[in-house]
């Protein structure tokens, strides 16, 4: 895009879309209108619950048993939850700085493009394949099915669990694709419900510490570090499970163009949601250990919260809790598909996806229906494909591993910006500070390397799959993106004797997107 056409586009955007507050600059200086003010449906309250719903899905109800099994002791398990909170807080600071500097939909896609500009479009292709081929919403849809069946007293098998999960993710797709404002309202309502559930668990845990139990009081806090594992694989896999429960602190970053006063809103919403969740997670774990014996926690699997309610309140309360946890899972699925659909849309607006115009549009319901549908399709495939025993853990780890890679390069990119502030003209409203960014980078580097250390006997998180499979598959998505970029942007244009030139198009729905045209050496287009 030439300087003159950029200026013309900016002037047009200022005229048609509410002034300079609705315009964002990105990467190589190209200008895009963000959106008109009437499309800003997310306020501070909704942003808090957008983050809270993404973080608090089923992780705190489903993963503490595996975290205890992998860490070996109550003391180390609690320490890992503290470590996860600290790592997540450093990540939140990094995403706060990037989000307030580049208030666009798309999150880390924009931040990676801003720093890693050469080879052109490579980082977008790699990140795009990772987003396009991974179904984040699949895992909690599976747990939704498990808890619904548990509440109904039905035996859980592979297909009834996943059939209910399919209904869960389909409902989330339809409400966000067809009724955007009602989807946000439903998210907020479910966020309030799960907050109440967590507070009930916390208070019941305090009562359990005082001996108010239907079963003999467990003795989990005496010799709390007894049984601590020395396995690096066990510790890092346990930490992965902790981090899974915190994934979502950056969730508001994916919809900043749809947020009222995005910089101020993000500065308030992200810290409240993350720090509040971290404190609640610690109290919930203490409640579990106060009410459920260590052996029962390990054997309870993903229905630990149900065991807790049975021990504190009795069998009827166990079934009621299962319904509430299922609603929590549904709230998480709503939040996940909301944000992931917008990342797919942003990739469409960049013009690098096949049928980019299809994915970029907000028609016909003023929502990224095509992006939401793409994520629904991939999530359903990932939900149905793995073998029953390993489905949840494999989905969890195959998503978390490449996210660690992405987070590492986001952090390294911010370090690079710090060392070259003049070049990037970097002066955001919030600074994460260099020490915080370095901690976040090193933490993610550890999470990238450590899973390749072979586990000791009995420590493999999978029943039938190789311990390293999620690392290879997760990294494979990023490599596939590089291969796609190589053919699309380098090999095919060279064979065809043309150059790809990016142009900006104003869509009928009022959003802009990029499109690539093929230019011959003489300047004509194909």
């Amino acid at each position: 895009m030439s300087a003159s056409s950029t200026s013309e586009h900016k002037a047009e955007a200022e005229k048609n879309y509410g002034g300079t507050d609705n315009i964002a600059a990105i990467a190589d200086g190209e200008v895009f209108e963000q959106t008109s003010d009437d499309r800003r449906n997310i306020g501070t309250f909704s942003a808090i619950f957008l983050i809270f719903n993404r973080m608090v899905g089923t992780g705190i109800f489903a993963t503490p048993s595996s975290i205890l099994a992998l860490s070996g002791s109550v003391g180390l398990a609690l320490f890992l939850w503290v470590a996860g909170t600290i790592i997540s807080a450093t990540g939140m600071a990094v995403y706060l700085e990037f989000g307030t500097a580049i208030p666009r939909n798309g999150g880390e896609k924009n931040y990676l493009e801003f720093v890693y500009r050469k080879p052109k479009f490579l980082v977008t292709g790699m990140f795009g394949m990772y987003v396009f081929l991974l179904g984040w919403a699949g895992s909690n849809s599976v747990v939704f099915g498990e808890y619904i069946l548990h509440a109904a007293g039905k035996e859980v098998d592979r297909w009834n669990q996943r059939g209910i999960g399919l209904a869960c993710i389909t409902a989330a797709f339809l409400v966000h694709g067809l009724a955007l404002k009602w989807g946000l309202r439903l998210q907020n309502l479910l966020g309030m419900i799960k907050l109440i559930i967590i507070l009930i668990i916390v208070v019941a845990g305090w009562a359990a510490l005082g001996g108010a139990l239907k079963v003999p009081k467990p003795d989990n806090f005496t010799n709390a570090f007894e049984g601590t594992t020395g396995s690096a694989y066990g510790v890092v896999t346990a930490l992965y499970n902790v981090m899974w429960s915190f994934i979502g602190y950056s969730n508001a970053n994916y919809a900043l163009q749809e947020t009222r006063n995005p910089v101020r809103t993000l500065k308030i919403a992200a810290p409240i949601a993350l720090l509040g969740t971290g404190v609640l997670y610690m109290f919930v774990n203490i409640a579990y250990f106060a009410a459920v014996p260590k052996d029962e926690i390990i054997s309870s699997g993903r229905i630990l919260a149900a065991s807790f309610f049975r021990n504190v309140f009795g069998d009827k309360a166990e079934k009621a809790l299962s319904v509430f946890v299922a609603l929590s899972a549904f709230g998480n699925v709503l939040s996940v598909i909301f944000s992931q659909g917008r990342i797919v849309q942003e990739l469409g607006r960049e013009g690098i996806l096949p049928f980019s115009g299809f994915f970029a549009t907000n028609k016909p319901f003023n929502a990224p229906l095509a992006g939401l549908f793409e994520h629904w399709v991939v999530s359903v495939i990932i939900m149905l494909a793995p073998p029953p025993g390993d489905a949840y853990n494999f989905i969890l780890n195959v998503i978390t591993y490449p996210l660690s890679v992405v987070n590492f390069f986001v952090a390294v990119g911010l370090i690079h910006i710090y060392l070259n502030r003049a070049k990037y003209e970097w002066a955001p409203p919030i600074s994460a500070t260099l020490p915080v960014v370095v901690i976040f980078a090193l933490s993610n580097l550890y999470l990238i390397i450590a899973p390749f250390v072979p586990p000791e006997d009995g420590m493999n998180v999978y029943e039938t799959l190789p311990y390293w499979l999620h690392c290879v598959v997760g990294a494979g998505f990023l490599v596939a993106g590089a291969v796609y970029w190589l053919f699309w942007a380098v090999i095919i244009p060279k064979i065809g004797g043309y150059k790809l030139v990016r142009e900006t198009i104003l869509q009928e729905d009022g959003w802009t997107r990029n499109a690539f045209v093929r230019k011959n050496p003489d300047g004509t287009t194909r």
Side-chain angles (χ1 to χ4, degrees), residues 258-275:
E258 300 171 57
T259 301
R260 294 189 291 272
N261 199 343
V263 172
R264 178 181 177 276
T265 298
L266 189 62
K267 287 163 67 174
I268 295 172
I272 289 176
L274 174 65
L275 299 178

Side-chain angles (χ1 to χ4, degrees), residues 409-458:
F409 281 100
V410 167
V412 170
L414 188 52
I415 293 171
H416 175 72
I417 290 174
Y418 283 167
L419 300 177
N420 299 273
R421 284 184 182 273
K423 173 185 174 183
Y424 290 96
E425 299 180 355
W426 193 251
I430 288 180
S431 176
T433 73
L434 183 60
V436 168
V437 181
V438 169
I439 291 171
F440 185 55
L442 293 177
S443 299
N444 281 284
L445 182 61
Y446 175 73
L447 292 173
I448 292 169
I449 296 173
F452 286 100
V453 178
E456 284 127 13
D457 291 339

